[in-house]
Amino acid sequence: MPERVLVADDDRAVREAVERALELEGYDVVTAGDGVEALVLARRESFSALVLDVMMPHIDGVAVCRVLRADGDRVPVLLLTARAGVPDRANGLDAGADDYLPKPFEVPELLARLRALLRRAVLTASPVSPAEKNERAEKSERAEEGERPDDDVLRMASLRVSPGMRRAWWGAAELRLTRTEFDLLELLVRDEGLVLDHAAIYRSVWGPDAGVDAKNLAGYIGYLRRKLTDAGAPDLIRTVRGVGYAARRP
């Protein structure tokens, strides 16, 4: 099976050039045009490595790396940036990135650095830890509550969101959500703590061609808040005026 690589860059020309170069080398490539899309893809799917531009709208590459590391995701990350200063490189590496390639770069160097990251990942791969075994056992036990053992259940306080089953619960109470309400809740919980602007939410929930109508989004947020409140949940969805929304623990 070919190695699967996520390439995220808001510059379409750079993104497509890197995609073509990697595909010619036999990689399976998935692309993203901004940090929000990259983070959603990285959390939903499995990749051998990530190639992230630092300067992206909504969420930059460093922030994407920092969030994934906080999640416990150890996928190798190569940062691309026009900022070549030592403080900038140090900032990216401190966020958990594995390597740093300044722009403009030569494709052979990009390929060599990516191969090195993948080799290191293989060498440092470890067997399943006791904590991971316990987590798998807990997932099996939760099957009795209506969740599939292999389902990637998202959790925030007493809220559980099952993307595979498209069901959500606050404690023992199941939320009766429409398709759009579920997609909106899943996005906010996946990006817990991050402020997502209106454009990023519309693009993720309604698709890249959706127009931005803040009143329409506010209406769906209102429906979602009401259903969470009816189930006994505190205020989990925070409004950041003039920007967007974030899911935060009480």
Side-chain angles (χ1 to χ4, degrees), residues 91-240:
N91 186 40
L93 296 172
D94 285 343
D98 298 273
D99 202 355
Y100 210 102
L101 184 59
K103 292 181 177 179
F105 55 83
E106 296 293 333
V107 169
E109 182 178 7
L110 169 66
L111 295 173
R113 287 177 181 265
L114 184 57
R115 286 194 298 268
L117 289 185
L118 294 171
R119 284 197 301 271
R120 287 206 296 271
V122 171
L123 291 173
T124 58
S126 58
V128 177
S129 66
E132 289 172 323
K133 290 180 180 178
N134 290 337
E135 182 180 356
R136 291 178 183 179
E138 290 173 3
K139 285 184 177 181
S140 297
E141 292 173 3
R142 290 199 298 268
E144 299 177 0
E145 302 174 18
E147 301 170 17
R148 291 201 305 260
D150 61 343
D151 198 16
D152 179 21
V153 178
L154 308 174
R155 295 173 178 271
M156 189 178 78
S158 295
L159 178 65
R160 291 175 292 137
V161 179
S162 170
M165 300 179 68
R166 295 189 65 79
R167 297 171 66 184
W169 301 262
W170 174 262
E174 183 170 358
L175 306 175
R176 302 299 179 182
L177 304 177
T178 66
R179 181 190 66 79
T180 299
E181 290 166 354
F182 182 88
D183 290 343
L184 183 56
L185 180 63
E186 180 189 353
L187 175 66
L188 291 170
V189 174
R190 280 189 183 277
D191 295 327
E192 178 186 349
L194 297 177
V195 179
L196 303 180
D197 67 25
H198 298 127
I201 294 174
Y202 267 92
R203 186 165 53 254
S204 296
V205 175
W206 282 273
D209 298 324
V212 176
D213 184 343
K215 291 183 180 178
N216 189 32
L217 176 56
Y220 279 103
I221 291 290
Y223 300 147
L224 194 50
R225 280 174 168 156
R226 192 173 305 120
K227 291 182 178 182
L228 285 165
T229 299
D230 290 346
D235 185 13
L236 301 176
I237 303 175
R238 310 299 172 84
T239 301
V240 181

